[in-house]
Structure formats: C-alpha cells, structure tokens
Amino acid sequence: MPATPPTSALRPRLPTPLQPVMDPRFEARDVRLLLKRDDLIHPDLPGNKYRKLALNLEQARAAGHRTLLTFGGAYSNHLRATAAAGRLLGFATVGVVRGDELADRPLNTSLAQCAADGMRLHFVDRSMYRQKADPAVLTGLQRATAAEDAYVIPEGGSNALAVQGCVALGAELRGRTDVAAVACGTGGTLAGLAAGLGPGQRALGIPVLKGGFLGPEIAGLQRAAFGVPGTNWSLDDRFHCGGYARTTAELTAFADDFEQRHGVPVERVYVAKLLYALTVLSEEGAFAPGTTVTAVITGTPSA
Ligand SMILES: *Cc1c(COP(=O)(O)O)cnc(C)c1O
C-alpha cells in the first residue's frame, strides 16, 4: 500500500475570507461586524474541523499509521470530517459512536455519510463511551475494531495538535479585529485561536453546551499545547439555549432572519448561537463604539 499523501493534498482555501456585514444592530452601536468564513476552507472538512485535523493527519502519516480511530455522537461533525479525510488521503477510519441502541436502526444522514466515506462504525453504550479515555477500555475498543495500530484522535478532535492547528486562525486575524468570537464545543478552537491573536486583541467563546465547565478545560488544552494558559480569552455562558443541539423559537427566528438579511447560511448547532450572542452583546452595549468584532463561521448547515 502506498504511503498516504501530505495534508496539503487536501488543498484547503487559506487564508479564509474575511467578510464585512452591514447589520443595523451593530451599526447602531458603532460596532463593525466581520465574518471569518472558515466554512469555506474545504467542502468536506469545513471550518475548524480542517484546522483541528491537519496536524493530526500529518502526525499520523509521519508515524506510518494507516488507520484513524476517533469518537463522536450520532451527529458529530468531527466524525464526518475524519471520515472524509480518510477517504481523500487514503487512511482507513474507525468511528466509535455513542449509543449502542443506534446499531439496530437505519443510519441517520450524518452517519450514512461517514459510512459512505468508508468509516467503520462501532456503536458502544453510554457507560463504555464515557470510559473511552481509560487505556484498558481504549485498547479493548481498538481490538474490537481491528484497529490496534490506529492513530487515535480524541472526541471532538481536541488534542494539543488540534489546538496548535487553530493558531493560524488567530494569526490570520492579527491586526484585523479587536474581538474574535467563536462558538465552543470542547473549546479546542478557542484555545488555539486565542493563542494566535496579536497584542491588544482578545478572543470570546460562546459555549453551546450547558454546564459552565469549559473554562478549566480550555486552560488545560492551552497548557497541553503551549505550556501555559493565556489570559486573552473569556467565555460567556448565557447563550447555550438549553444545551447541545437545543434551540428556542427565538434562536430559530434569529437564524432564519440572519440568513435572509445577509445571504450567509447559518449552521444551527454552533454558529447560530454565536451570532445570536454577539447581537445581544452589541445591543447590550458590551462592545465600545469603534470596536471591530469578528465572528468565526466554523461550519455549514448539514444537509
Ligand atoms: C465542532 C464544531 C465547533 C466546536 O469546536 P470546538 O473546538 O470543539 O470548540 C464549532 N462549530 C462547528 C460548526 C463545529 O462543527
């Protein structure tokens, strides 16, 4: 079997475009809103999923791995991106999916796409899924999926290499904005983005999960990636709208309206909450007049 090609063979669009939008809810406060169109980085690995996987794919290739193994829920964008990367670069892929009850049902469109890209899906119950970082459990999963030699990527793809891969996102925004804002799942993207920003710039994270547990995890990711956590980022925990993949009528109306006004497709699990949060913050006067705020568009609506 020939060696896998370098990640550059994926031909990402870099740097991603920075798009101004005219929105009265920002203009009224003399705040400039820019969209960092990371959703345009790659058709099959959009947004932060490309940036988080790139150095991991390089590492897997350099170490001679032929298989990638990773974890996710039934609608995981990370699983889909990993499956696509495997197809495009010639890695076998294994997806460990949370929820053993899913094994007996038809695949949803997200998992069907993973399977179509050649990913072997392995469904596990929730208690086993929770223990997946335990070395004995992981070894068992690798044995059960005939992937003993796999390069293992954690859930959501957030490890030190993923965080380092997101530094370039911050660096692309140097000198271009005062605030760089991003929706957070694991917080890996925020951890890298913040580290790439220049002096005087700050990063703002909007967690889409409920719980308020993310601050220490992001500091831990920065420690793992850079040795020390940074001080130029903060989180605003008010905009999860009930939790992961939950929505409210207000959020849906906001996202529909934003799409209509600006002609930009709004991914609903993460990006809608980010844009909604920034609009509320602007209306609250949280940004001083003259501030430039950049919203990182981390993904595309799924079909
Ligand atoms: C995965 C994902 C995120 C979350 O990224 P983290 O690094 O886990 O915080 C944000 N937006 C979209 C569209 C995603 O798919």
Side-chain angles (χ1 to χ4, degrees):
M1 206 158 85
T4 52
T7 310
S8 58
L10 294 172
R11 300 186 146 275
R13 177 172 178 183
L14 286 172
T16 55
L18 194 56
Q19 172 188 348
V21 293
M22 301 294 171
D23 190 303
R25 296 163 293 189
F26 293 81
E27 285 174 5
R29 295 283 182 171
D30 192 22
V31 173
R32 207 154 70 94
L33 177 65
L34 305 175
L35 305 182
K36 178 66 169 162
R37 297 295 305 270
D38 259 27
D39 54 318
L40 303 177
I41 205 167
H42 192 283
D44 298 323
L45 293 81
N48 59 358
K49 297 303 178 281
Y50 173 85
R51 295 192 192 265
K52 291 171 72 171
L53 278 171
L55 295 177
N56 278 294
L57 296 169
E58 284 302 316
Q59 177 67 34
R61 167 182 139 84
H65 292 278
R66 294 299 173 82
T67 302
L68 309 172
L69 181 146
T70 194
F71 307 86
Y75 295 92
S76 167
N77 290 333
H78 164 68
L79 276 187
R80 272 218 309 289
T82 304
R87 167 174 54 82
L88 293 165
L89 295 176
F91 290 102
T93 55
V94 174
V96 176
V97 184
R98 180 180 58 233
D100 55 345
E101 75 282 1
L102 298 170
D104 305 322
R105 298 187 195 159
L107 298 178
N108 67 35
T109 51
S110 186
L111 292 176
Q113 184 61 56
C114 291
D117 278 339
M119 180 174 262
R120 300 205 304 276
L121 299 173
H122 183 71
F123 298 92
V124 299
D125 66 42
R126 276 146 220 276
S127 115
M128 164 113 51
Y129 191 85
R130 267 194 302 277
Q131 298 171 63
K132 61 193 175 302
D134 179 291
V137 172
L138 178 58
T139 303
L141 286 170
Q142 290 186 250
R143 203 166 294 143
T145 57
E148 283 94 339
D149 67 333
Y151 181 83
V152 177
I153 305 174
E155 179 178 34
S158 284
N159 55 15
L161 287 175
V163 171
Q164 288 164 11
C166 291
V167 170
L169 169 57
E172 288 174 29
L173 293 171
R174 279 188 174 226
R176 312 289 290 272
T177 192
D178 301 301
V179 178
V182 68
C184 299
T186 64
T189 306
L190 176 70
L193 160 66
L197 292 173
Q201 296 181 294
R202 66 188 175 92
L204 170 63
I206 305 298
V208 305
L209 286 90
K210 193 168 155 181
F213 55 84
L214 211 50
E217 297 202 359
I218 293 170
L221 285 167
Q222 288 195 321
R223 216 172 279 119
F226 312 118
V228 285
T231 55
N232 67 340
W233 57 269
S234 60
L235 300 173
D236 191 328
D237 256 312
R238 292 179 294 158
F239 300 101
H240 55 69
C241 299
Y244 183 76
R246 299 291 172 88
T247 189
T248 61
E250 199 180 346
L251 181 69
T252 302
F254 169 85
D256 289 346
D257 173 73
F258 195 96
E259 287 186 336
Q260 292 225 316
R261 275 182 204 244
H262 303 302
V264 174
V266 176
E267 185 274 341
R268 300 302 168 105
V269 176
Y270 292 96
V271 177
K273 292 178 185 180
L274 168 69
L275 294 169
Y276 179 67
L278 293 179
T279 304
V280 171
L281 285 165
S282 175
E283 288 178 329
E284 286 177 353
F287 305 119
T291 301
T292 299
V293 176
T294 299
V296 182
I297 307 302
T298 40
T300 46
S302 44

